[in-house]
Amino acid sequence: MLSLKKLTWEVLVSASINVSAPGKLMLFGEHAVVYGYSCIVTAVDQRVYVKAGFNGKDELVVNAPQLGVSGYRKKVDRLCDQEMPKQVSFIEAVVRRFYQNYGLVRGLEIATRSDFSHSYGFGSSSAITMATATALSKLYLIKLSKKQLFDLCYQAVLDIQGVGSGFDLAAALWGKTLLYKKGARLVKKMILDQLPIVVCYSGVKADTPTLVRQVAEFKRKKPRKVKQIFNKIEQLVLQTEKVIIQKDWQGVGKLMNTNQRLLEDLGVSTLKLEKLNKTALNAGAYGAKLSGAGGGDCMIAVCLQSKRDAVEQALIKAGGEIMPVKLNSKGVTWQKK
Ligand code: PMV
């Protein structure tokens, strides 16, 4: 006869869902996108994985060994009701939103793992949120449209972060490379079979909400100046869409450099990022810019294949860490086990 413990595990395993969702890389239009302008984001081949199943209890149990979370427990009617470790806050928030929206409250066992460290700024929190929401919809057999899934996750992310455009959730959900507007008001898949870029981590972890609030403060003080910057960013994002399709990498590089200067005007760049950009340009890249909120995380540079090695070596010498990521990856996927 099976013991109760074994039986619970059998139930969990038989009904568990495995989901994976990609991380993201912001290519153009960061910050302006928070105010309703367009950005270009791509899904990367580094993914997060969520395994979820019912546990027959009245608790949410989370295991995320890479984040130092083991056997974290919370009663299902107490989700988000007190300080939570940051690592599980997005999971708690999205489970709570799901329960609220669909009135279904059962204990869950959730395990996560990731291809990449959350330090790199590839959007692991958003990818985990999207993977968890997808797992819940499959476990409960609730058919959600992509927009419903997006909205559920966007609410959860705003519950935790308070700010953001949702571009990272869009990349996790739809995958590929997207022309995107806040709240998924525009989600247009771009035709992009390649974009020869080098991705380099600056060694400094950035805090996105802090930088978004910093820009909000700057906008409050200098509304006209910031509006002008955002308008210029919008124009270059729309130009980039065309230039990428033509595979005009030199043109893409020029637009990258312009976007970088506008981000410097916004006050979100750093000396380290600028040093890495300059290094890439000196080594033969067509263009370089920071990617994401600024303050640290990654920079990207566009260069021909023939220059890639020289650009990468120069960046390493300047203190950067090359991230071997591929762009234009598949959005969220799931499997029943
Ligand atoms: O720091 P990242 O890579 O998460 O990018 C933030 C991009 C912002 O436009 C600054 C914020 C947002 O939510 O769009």
PDB file of all heavy atoms in Angstrom, residues 24-26 29-35 39 120-123 126 154 161 163-168 180 205-209 211-212 215 268 291-294 296-298, ligand 1:
ATOM      1  N   LYS A  24      14.481  38.274 -21.571  1.00  0.00           N
ATOM      2  CA  LYS A  24      14.375  39.324 -22.607  1.00  0.00           C
ATOM      3  C   LYS A  24      15.611  40.194 -22.664  1.00  0.00           C
ATOM      4  O   LYS A  24      16.428  40.208 -21.724  1.00  0.00           O
ATOM      5  CB  LYS A  24      13.159  40.195 -22.354  1.00  0.00           C
ATOM      6  CG  LYS A  24      13.116  40.853 -20.966  1.00  0.00           C
ATOM      7  CD  LYS A  24      14.057  41.995 -20.745  1.00  0.00           C
ATOM      8  CE  LYS A  24      14.167  42.363 -19.283  1.00  0.00           C
ATOM      9  NZ  LYS A  24      15.300  43.127 -18.917  1.00  0.00           N
ATOM     10  N   LEU A  25      15.701  40.884 -23.780  1.00  0.00           N
ATOM     11  CA  LEU A  25      16.740  41.893 -23.924  1.00  0.00           C
ATOM     12  C   LEU A  25      16.101  43.111 -24.576  1.00  0.00           C
ATOM     13  O   LEU A  25      15.486  42.992 -25.653  1.00  0.00           O
ATOM     14  CB  LEU A  25      17.849  41.331 -24.816  1.00  0.00           C
ATOM     15  CG  LEU A  25      19.129  42.132 -24.910  1.00  0.00           C
ATOM     16  CD1 LEU A  25      19.864  42.164 -23.571  1.00  0.00           C
ATOM     17  CD2 LEU A  25      20.038  41.530 -25.971  1.00  0.00           C
ATOM     18  N   MET A  26      16.226  44.254 -23.936  1.00  0.00           N
ATOM     19  CA  MET A  26      15.683  45.485 -24.529  1.00  0.00           C
ATOM     20  C   MET A  26      16.653  45.957 -25.608  1.00  0.00           C
ATOM     21  O   MET A  26      17.856  46.080 -25.341  1.00  0.00           O
ATOM     22  CB  MET A  26      15.536  46.538 -23.426  1.00  0.00           C
ATOM     23  CG  MET A  26      15.035  47.869 -23.902  1.00  0.00           C
ATOM     24  SD  MET A  26      13.342  47.811 -24.509  1.00  0.00           S
ATOM     25  CE  MET A  26      12.458  48.397 -23.082  1.00  0.00           C
ATOM     26  N   GLY A  29      14.438  51.854 -27.031  1.00  0.00           N
ATOM     27  CA  GLY A  29      13.221  52.518 -26.544  1.00  0.00           C
ATOM     28  C   GLY A  29      12.959  52.420 -25.056  1.00  0.00           C
ATOM     29  O   GLY A  29      11.872  52.785 -24.594  1.00  0.00           O
ATOM     30  N   GLU A  30      13.941  51.933 -24.267  1.00  0.00           N
ATOM     31  CA  GLU A  30      13.737  51.854 -22.813  1.00  0.00           C
ATOM     32  C   GLU A  30      13.392  53.218 -22.229  1.00  0.00           C
ATOM     33  O   GLU A  30      13.753  54.254 -22.781  1.00  0.00           O
ATOM     34  CB  GLU A  30      14.948  51.243 -22.089  1.00  0.00           C
ATOM     35  CG  GLU A  30      16.315  51.759 -22.451  1.00  0.00           C
ATOM     36  CD  GLU A  30      16.895  51.013 -23.626  1.00  0.00           C
ATOM     37  OE1 GLU A  30      17.601  50.001 -23.459  1.00  0.00           O
ATOM     38  OE2 GLU A  30      16.651  51.493 -24.763  1.00  0.00           O
ATOM     39  N   HIS A  31      12.719  53.207 -21.138  1.00  0.00           N
ATOM     40  CA  HIS A  31      12.226  54.379 -20.396  1.00  0.00           C
ATOM     41  C   HIS A  31      11.071  55.079 -21.122  1.00  0.00           C
ATOM     42  O   HIS A  31      10.009  55.267 -20.522  1.00  0.00           O
ATOM     43  CB  HIS A  31      13.345  55.369 -20.042  1.00  0.00           C
ATOM     44  CG  HIS A  31      14.215  54.841 -18.932  1.00  0.00           C
ATOM     45  ND1 HIS A  31      13.759  54.734 -17.639  1.00  0.00           N
ATOM     46  CD2 HIS A  31      15.476  54.342 -18.936  1.00  0.00           C
ATOM     47  CE1 HIS A  31      14.726  54.215 -16.880  1.00  0.00           C
ATOM     48  NE2 HIS A  31      15.764  53.944 -17.651  1.00  0.00           N
ATOM     49  N   ALA A  32      11.263  55.452 -22.405  1.00  0.00           N
ATOM     50  CA  ALA A  32      10.161  56.112 -23.103  1.00  0.00           C
ATOM     51  C   ALA A  32       8.938  55.189 -23.111  1.00  0.00           C
ATOM     52  O   ALA A  32       7.788  55.655 -23.016  1.00  0.00           O
ATOM     53  CB  ALA A  32      10.590  56.443 -24.529  1.00  0.00           C
ATOM     54  N   VAL A  33       9.177  53.872 -23.187  1.00  0.00           N
ATOM     55  CA  VAL A  33       8.074  52.907 -23.257  1.00  0.00           C
ATOM     56  C   VAL A  33       7.185  52.974 -22.003  1.00  0.00           C
ATOM     57  O   VAL A  33       5.983  52.700 -22.066  1.00  0.00           O
ATOM     58  CB  VAL A  33       8.622  51.466 -23.514  1.00  0.00           C
ATOM     59  CG1 VAL A  33       9.442  50.949 -22.346  1.00  0.00           C
ATOM     60  CG2 VAL A  33       7.495  50.497 -23.829  1.00  0.00           C
ATOM     61  N   VAL A  34       7.753  53.389 -20.888  1.00  0.00           N
ATOM     62  CA  VAL A  34       6.969  53.504 -19.643  1.00  0.00           C
ATOM     63  C   VAL A  34       5.898  54.593 -19.796  1.00  0.00           C
ATOM     64  O   VAL A  34       4.876  54.587 -19.122  1.00  0.00           O
ATOM     65  CB  VAL A  34       7.915  53.816 -18.446  1.00  0.00           C
ATOM     66  CG1 VAL A  34       7.143  54.052 -17.160  1.00  0.00           C
ATOM     67  CG2 VAL A  34       8.931  52.700 -18.262  1.00  0.00           C
ATOM     68  N   TYR A  35       6.145  55.543 -20.727  1.00  0.00           N
ATOM     69  CA  TYR A  35       5.225  56.664 -20.915  1.00  0.00           C
ATOM     70  C   TYR A  35       4.400  56.522 -22.197  1.00  0.00           C
ATOM     71  O   TYR A  35       3.902  57.500 -22.737  1.00  0.00           O
ATOM     72  CB  TYR A  35       6.022  57.977 -20.897  1.00  0.00           C
ATOM     73  CG  TYR A  35       6.645  58.165 -19.535  1.00  0.00           C
ATOM     74  CD1 TYR A  35       7.903  57.628 -19.248  1.00  0.00           C
ATOM     75  CD2 TYR A  35       5.945  58.777 -18.510  1.00  0.00           C
ATOM     76  CE1 TYR A  35       8.460  57.734 -17.979  1.00  0.00           C
ATOM     77  CE2 TYR A  35       6.488  58.893 -17.238  1.00  0.00           C
ATOM     78  CZ  TYR A  35       7.744  58.365 -16.982  1.00  0.00           C
ATOM     79  OH  TYR A  35       8.273  58.467 -15.715  1.00  0.00           O
ATOM     80  N   CYS A  39       8.802  50.499 -27.989  1.00  0.00           N
ATOM     81  CA  CYS A  39      10.162  49.975 -27.803  1.00  0.00           C
ATOM     82  C   CYS A  39      10.318  48.718 -28.662  1.00  0.00           C
ATOM     83  O   CYS A  39       9.332  48.206 -29.202  1.00  0.00           O
ATOM     84  CB  CYS A  39      10.428  49.632 -26.328  1.00  0.00           C
ATOM     85  SG  CYS A  39       9.649  48.117 -25.761  1.00  0.00           S
ATOM     86  N   TYR A 120      21.763  39.299 -14.146  1.00  0.00           N
ATOM     87  CA  TYR A 120      22.111  39.838 -15.458  1.00  0.00           C
ATOM     88  C   TYR A 120      21.075  40.784 -16.059  1.00  0.00           C
ATOM     89  O   TYR A 120      21.309  41.365 -17.103  1.00  0.00           O
ATOM     90  CB  TYR A 120      22.389  38.694 -16.440  1.00  0.00           C
ATOM     91  CG  TYR A 120      23.626  37.893 -16.102  1.00  0.00           C
ATOM     92  CD1 TYR A 120      23.630  36.504 -16.178  1.00  0.00           C
ATOM     93  CD2 TYR A 120      24.789  38.541 -15.707  1.00  0.00           C
ATOM     94  CE1 TYR A 120      24.775  35.779 -15.861  1.00  0.00           C
ATOM     95  CE2 TYR A 120      25.933  37.817 -15.395  1.00  0.00           C
ATOM     96  CZ  TYR A 120      25.916  36.440 -15.474  1.00  0.00           C
ATOM     97  OH  TYR A 120      27.041  35.738 -15.160  1.00  0.00           O
ATOM     98  N   GLY A 121      19.911  40.869 -15.436  1.00  0.00           N
ATOM     99  CA  GLY A 121      18.894  41.783 -15.962  1.00  0.00           C
ATOM    100  C   GLY A 121      18.172  41.218 -17.178  1.00  0.00           C
ATOM    101  O   GLY A 121      17.692  41.965 -18.026  1.00  0.00           O
ATOM    102  N   PHE A 122      18.102  39.884 -17.283  1.00  0.00           N
ATOM    103  CA  PHE A 122      17.381  39.277 -18.409  1.00  0.00           C
ATOM    104  C   PHE A 122      15.902  39.048 -18.102  1.00  0.00           C
ATOM    105  O   PHE A 122      15.225  38.304 -18.812  1.00  0.00           O
ATOM    106  CB  PHE A 122      18.029  37.953 -18.829  1.00  0.00           C
ATOM    107  CG  PHE A 122      19.326  38.129 -19.565  1.00  0.00           C
ATOM    108  CD1 PHE A 122      20.375  37.250 -19.383  1.00  0.00           C
ATOM    109  CD2 PHE A 122      19.488  39.174 -20.456  1.00  0.00           C
ATOM    110  CE1 PHE A 122      21.577  37.407 -20.061  1.00  0.00           C
ATOM    111  CE2 PHE A 122      20.679  39.350 -21.147  1.00  0.00           C
ATOM    112  CZ  PHE A 122      21.730  38.468 -20.948  1.00  0.00           C
ATOM    113  N   GLY A 123      15.415  39.609 -17.009  1.00  0.00           N
ATOM    114  CA  GLY A 123      13.966  39.556 -16.760  1.00  0.00           C
ATOM    115  C   GLY A 123      13.498  38.254 -16.153  1.00  0.00           C
ATOM    116  O   GLY A 123      12.414  37.761 -16.510  1.00  0.00           O
ATOM    117  N   SER A 126       9.942  38.444 -14.398  1.00  0.00           N
ATOM    118  CA  SER A 126       8.786  38.467 -15.307  1.00  0.00           C
ATOM    119  C   SER A 126       8.586  37.112 -15.974  1.00  0.00           C
ATOM    120  O   SER A 126       7.447  36.663 -16.159  1.00  0.00           O
ATOM    121  CB  SER A 126       8.978  39.525 -16.385  1.00  0.00           C
ATOM    122  OG  SER A 126       8.908  40.774 -15.792  1.00  0.00           O
ATOM    123  N   TYR A 154       0.655  41.240 -15.601  1.00  0.00           N
ATOM    124  CA  TYR A 154       1.002  42.661 -15.496  1.00  0.00           C
ATOM    125  C   TYR A 154       0.485  43.220 -14.158  1.00  0.00           C
ATOM    126  O   TYR A 154       1.198  43.952 -13.468  1.00  0.00           O
ATOM    127  CB  TYR A 154       0.406  43.407 -16.688  1.00  0.00           C
ATOM    128  CG  TYR A 154       0.924  44.823 -16.869  1.00  0.00           C
ATOM    129  CD1 TYR A 154       2.239  45.162 -16.572  1.00  0.00           C
ATOM    130  CD2 TYR A 154       0.090  45.829 -17.358  1.00  0.00           C
ATOM    131  CE1 TYR A 154       2.713  46.462 -16.755  1.00  0.00           C
ATOM    132  CE2 TYR A 154       0.548  47.130 -17.543  1.00  0.00           C
ATOM    133  CZ  TYR A 154       1.864  47.435 -17.228  1.00  0.00           C
ATOM    134  OH  TYR A 154       2.328  48.725 -17.401  1.00  0.00           O
ATOM    135  N   GLN A 161       6.204  45.671  -8.077  1.00  0.00           N
ATOM    136  CA  GLN A 161       7.171  46.716  -8.460  1.00  0.00           C
ATOM    137  C   GLN A 161       6.593  48.115  -8.486  1.00  0.00           C
ATOM    138  O   GLN A 161       7.318  49.089  -8.412  1.00  0.00           O
ATOM    139  CB  GLN A 161       7.694  46.446  -9.879  1.00  0.00           C
ATOM    140  CG  GLN A 161       8.753  45.413  -9.933  1.00  0.00           C
ATOM    141  CD  GLN A 161       9.436  45.351 -11.289  1.00  0.00           C
ATOM    142  OE1 GLN A 161      10.372  44.604 -11.429  1.00  0.00           O
ATOM    143  NE2 GLN A 161       8.995  46.093 -12.286  1.00  0.00           N
ATOM    144  N   VAL A 163       5.846  49.926 -10.815  1.00  0.00           N
ATOM    145  CA  VAL A 163       6.094  50.623 -12.083  1.00  0.00           C
ATOM    146  C   VAL A 163       6.515  49.616 -13.148  1.00  0.00           C
ATOM    147  O   VAL A 163       6.931  48.502 -12.818  1.00  0.00           O
ATOM    148  CB  VAL A 163       7.241  51.661 -11.946  1.00  0.00           C
ATOM    149  CG1 VAL A 163       6.819  52.851 -11.114  1.00  0.00           C
ATOM    150  CG2 VAL A 163       8.498  51.014 -11.358  1.00  0.00           C
ATOM    151  N   GLY A 164       6.440  50.042 -14.416  1.00  0.00           N
ATOM    152  CA  GLY A 164       6.928  49.178 -15.504  1.00  0.00           C
ATOM    153  C   GLY A 164       5.978  49.178 -16.672  1.00  0.00           C
ATOM    154  O   GLY A 164       4.785  49.455 -16.522  1.00  0.00           O
ATOM    155  N   SER A 165       6.539  48.870 -17.848  1.00  0.00           N
ATOM    156  CA  SER A 165       5.734  48.885 -19.073  1.00  0.00           C
ATOM    157  C   SER A 165       5.175  47.508 -19.421  1.00  0.00           C
ATOM    158  O   SER A 165       4.304  47.391 -20.271  1.00  0.00           O
ATOM    159  CB  SER A 165       6.601  49.361 -20.237  1.00  0.00           C
ATOM    160  OG  SER A 165       7.629  48.404 -20.494  1.00  0.00           O
ATOM    161  N   GLY A 166       5.726  46.459 -18.803  1.00  0.00           N
ATOM    162  CA  GLY A 166       5.291  45.098 -19.130  1.00  0.00           C
ATOM    163  C   GLY A 166       5.998  44.520 -20.350  1.00  0.00           C
ATOM    164  O   GLY A 166       5.653  43.434 -20.823  1.00  0.00           O
ATOM    165  N   PHE A 167       7.044  45.232 -20.861  1.00  0.00           N
ATOM    166  CA  PHE A 167       7.730  44.748 -22.080  1.00  0.00           C
ATOM    167  C   PHE A 167       8.368  43.370 -21.859  1.00  0.00           C
ATOM    168  O   PHE A 167       8.419  42.543 -22.761  1.00  0.00           O
ATOM    169  CB  PHE A 167       8.803  45.759 -22.523  1.00  0.00           C
ATOM    170  CG  PHE A 167      10.068  45.674 -21.729  1.00  0.00           C
ATOM    171  CD1 PHE A 167      11.219  45.134 -22.292  1.00  0.00           C
ATOM    172  CD2 PHE A 167      10.118  46.088 -20.415  1.00  0.00           C
ATOM    173  CE1 PHE A 167      12.392  45.018 -21.562  1.00  0.00           C
ATOM    174  CE2 PHE A 167      11.288  45.980 -19.667  1.00  0.00           C
ATOM    175  CZ  PHE A 167      12.412  45.445 -20.235  1.00  0.00           C
ATOM    176  N   ASP A 168       8.831  43.143 -20.628  1.00  0.00           N
ATOM    177  CA  ASP A 168       9.492  41.874 -20.315  1.00  0.00           C
ATOM    178  C   ASP A 168       8.478  40.713 -20.288  1.00  0.00           C
ATOM    179  O   ASP A 168       8.782  39.596 -20.705  1.00  0.00           O
ATOM    180  CB  ASP A 168      10.264  41.970 -18.996  1.00  0.00           C
ATOM    181  CG  ASP A 168       9.586  42.867 -17.964  1.00  0.00           C
ATOM    182  OD1 ASP A 168       8.395  43.204 -18.153  1.00  0.00           O
ATOM    183  OD2 ASP A 168      10.222  43.214 -16.958  1.00  0.00           O
ATOM    184  N   TYR A 180       6.647  47.076 -29.315  1.00  0.00           N
ATOM    185  CA  TYR A 180       5.741  46.938 -28.163  1.00  0.00           C
ATOM    186  C   TYR A 180       5.392  48.286 -27.550  1.00  0.00           C
ATOM    187  O   TYR A 180       6.233  49.188 -27.481  1.00  0.00           O
ATOM    188  CB  TYR A 180       6.451  46.072 -27.112  1.00  0.00           C
ATOM    189  CG  TYR A 180       5.702  45.981 -25.800  1.00  0.00           C
ATOM    190  CD1 TYR A 180       4.665  45.064 -25.630  1.00  0.00           C
ATOM    191  CD2 TYR A 180       6.024  46.833 -24.737  1.00  0.00           C
ATOM    192  CE1 TYR A 180       3.972  45.007 -24.427  1.00  0.00           C
ATOM    193  CE2 TYR A 180       5.335  46.762 -23.533  1.00  0.00           C
ATOM    194  CZ  TYR A 180       4.309  45.846 -23.391  1.00  0.00           C
ATOM    195  OH  TYR A 180       3.619  45.790 -22.211  1.00  0.00           O
ATOM    196  N   LYS A 205      24.892  45.289 -10.896  1.00  0.00           N
ATOM    197  CA  LYS A 205      23.454  44.943 -10.917  1.00  0.00           C
ATOM    198  C   LYS A 205      22.650  46.228 -10.771  1.00  0.00           C
ATOM    199  O   LYS A 205      22.883  47.022  -9.873  1.00  0.00           O
ATOM    200  CB  LYS A 205      23.170  43.985  -9.743  1.00  0.00           C
ATOM    201  CG  LYS A 205      21.716  43.647  -9.535  1.00  0.00           C
ATOM    202  CD  LYS A 205      21.287  42.470 -10.382  1.00  0.00           C
ATOM    203  CE  LYS A 205      19.769  42.355 -10.458  1.00  0.00           C
ATOM    204  NZ  LYS A 205      19.189  42.962 -11.670  1.00  0.00           N
ATOM    205  N   ALA A 206      21.703  46.424 -11.692  1.00  0.00           N
ATOM    206  CA  ALA A 206      20.890  47.650 -11.644  1.00  0.00           C
ATOM    207  C   ALA A 206      19.543  47.371 -10.990  1.00  0.00           C
ATOM    208  O   ALA A 206      19.041  46.251 -11.051  1.00  0.00           O
ATOM    209  CB  ALA A 206      20.678  48.164 -13.054  1.00  0.00           C
ATOM    210  N   ASP A 207      18.969  48.408 -10.383  1.00  0.00           N
ATOM    211  CA  ASP A 207      17.630  48.254  -9.810  1.00  0.00           C
ATOM    212  C   ASP A 207      16.643  49.042 -10.667  1.00  0.00           C
ATOM    213  O   ASP A 207      16.580  50.282 -10.598  1.00  0.00           O
ATOM    214  CB  ASP A 207      17.617  48.749  -8.360  1.00  0.00           C
ATOM    215  CG  ASP A 207      16.246  48.515  -7.730  1.00  0.00           C
ATOM    216  OD1 ASP A 207      15.723  47.390  -7.851  1.00  0.00           O
ATOM    217  OD2 ASP A 207      15.668  49.466  -7.176  1.00  0.00           O
ATOM    218  N   THR A 208      15.882  48.316 -11.488  1.00  0.00           N
ATOM    219  CA  THR A 208      15.026  48.967 -12.480  1.00  0.00           C
ATOM    220  C   THR A 208      14.022  49.949 -11.859  1.00  0.00           C
ATOM    221  O   THR A 208      13.951  51.102 -12.308  1.00  0.00           O
ATOM    222  CB  THR A 208      14.312  47.885 -13.329  1.00  0.00           C
ATOM    223  OG1 THR A 208      15.324  47.087 -13.938  1.00  0.00           O
ATOM    224  CG2 THR A 208      13.439  48.495 -14.400  1.00  0.00           C
ATOM    225  N   PRO A 209      13.231  49.554 -10.832  1.00  0.00           N
ATOM    226  CA  PRO A 209      12.251  50.514 -10.299  1.00  0.00           C
ATOM    227  C   PRO A 209      12.895  51.820  -9.828  1.00  0.00           C
ATOM    228  O   PRO A 209      12.334  52.896 -10.031  1.00  0.00           O
ATOM    229  CB  PRO A 209      11.613  49.757  -9.123  1.00  0.00           C
ATOM    230  CG  PRO A 209      11.800  48.319  -9.454  1.00  0.00           C
ATOM    231  CD  PRO A 209      13.109  48.243 -10.179  1.00  0.00           C
ATOM    232  N   LEU A 211      15.542  53.310 -11.084  1.00  0.00           N
ATOM    233  CA  LEU A 211      15.862  54.137 -12.249  1.00  0.00           C
ATOM    234  C   LEU A 211      14.602  54.688 -12.906  1.00  0.00           C
ATOM    235  O   LEU A 211      14.587  55.819 -13.388  1.00  0.00           O
ATOM    236  CB  LEU A 211      16.708  53.338 -13.239  1.00  0.00           C
ATOM    237  CG  LEU A 211      18.157  53.299 -12.748  1.00  0.00           C
ATOM    238  CD1 LEU A 211      18.760  51.948 -12.885  1.00  0.00           C
ATOM    239  CD2 LEU A 211      18.995  54.355 -13.447  1.00  0.00           C
ATOM    240  N   VAL A 212      13.533  53.879 -12.920  1.00  0.00           N
ATOM    241  CA  VAL A 212      12.265  54.370 -13.500  1.00  0.00           C
ATOM    242  C   VAL A 212      11.763  55.558 -12.672  1.00  0.00           C
ATOM    243  O   VAL A 212      11.312  56.567 -13.221  1.00  0.00           O
ATOM    244  CB  VAL A 212      11.222  53.232 -13.566  1.00  0.00           C
ATOM    245  CG1 VAL A 212       9.843  53.755 -13.953  1.00  0.00           C
ATOM    246  CG2 VAL A 212      11.663  52.165 -14.577  1.00  0.00           C
ATOM    247  N   VAL A 215      13.802  58.691 -13.441  1.00  0.00           N
ATOM    248  CA  VAL A 215      13.377  59.358 -14.684  1.00  0.00           C
ATOM    249  C   VAL A 215      12.063  60.102 -14.447  1.00  0.00           C
ATOM    250  O   VAL A 215      11.863  61.228 -14.935  1.00  0.00           O
ATOM    251  CB  VAL A 215      13.264  58.339 -15.849  1.00  0.00           C
ATOM    252  CG1 VAL A 215      12.613  58.965 -17.079  1.00  0.00           C
ATOM    253  CG2 VAL A 215      14.634  57.789 -16.207  1.00  0.00           C
ATOM    254  N   VAL A 268      20.511  58.122 -17.201  1.00  0.00           N
ATOM    255  CA  VAL A 268      20.485  56.739 -16.699  1.00  0.00           C
ATOM    256  C   VAL A 268      21.732  55.936 -17.077  1.00  0.00           C
ATOM    257  O   VAL A 268      21.867  54.773 -16.708  1.00  0.00           O
ATOM    258  CB  VAL A 268      19.212  55.976 -17.183  1.00  0.00           C
ATOM    259  CG1 VAL A 268      17.970  56.616 -16.607  1.00  0.00           C
ATOM    260  CG2 VAL A 268      19.150  55.897 -18.698  1.00  0.00           C
ATOM    261  N   SER A 291      21.403  48.561 -22.360  1.00  0.00           N
ATOM    262  CA  SER A 291      20.148  47.851 -22.627  1.00  0.00           C
ATOM    263  C   SER A 291      19.376  47.728 -21.317  1.00  0.00           C
ATOM    264  O   SER A 291      19.885  47.179 -20.346  1.00  0.00           O
ATOM    265  CB  SER A 291      20.456  46.459 -23.187  1.00  0.00           C
ATOM    266  OG  SER A 291      19.305  45.642 -23.131  1.00  0.00           O
ATOM    267  N   GLY A 292      18.168  48.299 -21.293  1.00  0.00           N
ATOM    268  CA  GLY A 292      17.355  48.208 -20.067  1.00  0.00           C
ATOM    269  C   GLY A 292      17.347  49.535 -19.322  1.00  0.00           C
ATOM    270  O   GLY A 292      17.517  50.602 -19.910  1.00  0.00           O
ATOM    271  N   ALA A 293      17.196  49.434 -18.029  1.00  0.00           N
ATOM    272  CA  ALA A 293      16.995  50.652 -17.233  1.00  0.00           C
ATOM    273  C   ALA A 293      18.236  51.533 -17.139  1.00  0.00           C
ATOM    274  O   ALA A 293      18.138  52.719 -16.851  1.00  0.00           O
ATOM    275  CB  ALA A 293      16.542  50.255 -15.830  1.00  0.00           C
ATOM    276  N   GLY A 294      19.415  50.977 -17.355  1.00  0.00           N
ATOM    277  CA  GLY A 294      20.651  51.737 -17.143  1.00  0.00           C
ATOM    278  C   GLY A 294      21.150  51.520 -15.723  1.00  0.00           C
ATOM    279  O   GLY A 294      20.652  50.639 -15.016  1.00  0.00           O
ATOM    280  N   GLY A 296      23.630  50.110 -14.847  1.00  0.00           N
ATOM    281  CA  GLY A 296      24.413  48.867 -14.791  1.00  0.00           C
ATOM    282  C   GLY A 296      23.808  47.848 -15.749  1.00  0.00           C
ATOM    283  O   GLY A 296      23.362  48.200 -16.831  1.00  0.00           O
ATOM    284  N   ASP A 297      23.775  46.586 -15.344  1.00  0.00           N
ATOM    285  CA  ASP A 297      23.284  45.480 -16.194  1.00  0.00           C
ATOM    286  C   ASP A 297      24.079  45.399 -17.506  1.00  0.00           C
ATOM    287  O   ASP A 297      25.276  45.512 -17.477  1.00  0.00           O
ATOM    288  CB  ASP A 297      21.782  45.561 -16.436  1.00  0.00           C
ATOM    289  CG  ASP A 297      20.976  45.119 -15.213  1.00  0.00           C
ATOM    290  OD1 ASP A 297      21.581  44.568 -14.265  1.00  0.00           O
ATOM    291  OD2 ASP A 297      19.762  45.332 -15.188  1.00  0.00           O
ATOM    292  N   CYS A 298      23.397  45.253 -18.636  1.00  0.00           N
ATOM    293  CA  CYS A 298      24.121  44.942 -19.875  1.00  0.00           C
ATOM    294  C   CYS A 298      24.195  46.113 -20.855  1.00  0.00           C
ATOM    295  O   CYS A 298      23.364  47.014 -20.820  1.00  0.00           O
ATOM    296  CB  CYS A 298      23.432  43.779 -20.590  1.00  0.00           C
ATOM    297  SG  CYS A 298      23.639  42.209 -19.742  1.00  0.00           S
TER     298      CYS A 298
HETATM  299  O1  PMV B   1      16.184  47.014 -16.564  1.00  0.00           O
HETATM  300  P1  PMV B   1      15.345  46.200 -17.481  1.00  0.00           P
HETATM  301  O2  PMV B   1      16.165  45.381 -18.418  1.00  0.00           O
HETATM  302  O3  PMV B   1      14.312  45.423 -16.782  1.00  0.00           O
HETATM  303  O4  PMV B   1      14.609  47.240 -18.442  1.00  0.00           O
HETATM  304  C1  PMV B   1      13.812  48.273 -17.958  1.00  0.00           C
HETATM  305  C2  PMV B   1      13.184  49.010 -19.091  1.00  0.00           C
HETATM  306  C3  PMV B   1      12.371  50.239 -18.663  1.00  0.00           C
HETATM  307  O5  PMV B   1      11.838  50.813 -19.852  1.00  0.00           O
HETATM  308  C4  PMV B   1      13.276  51.265 -18.021  1.00  0.00           C
HETATM  309  C5  PMV B   1      11.260  49.894 -17.686  1.00  0.00           C
HETATM  310  C6  PMV B   1      10.063  49.196 -18.306  1.00  0.00           C
HETATM  311  O6  PMV B   1       9.331  48.539 -17.561  1.00  0.00           O
HETATM  312  O7  PMV B   1       9.829  49.337 -19.510  1.00  0.00           O
END
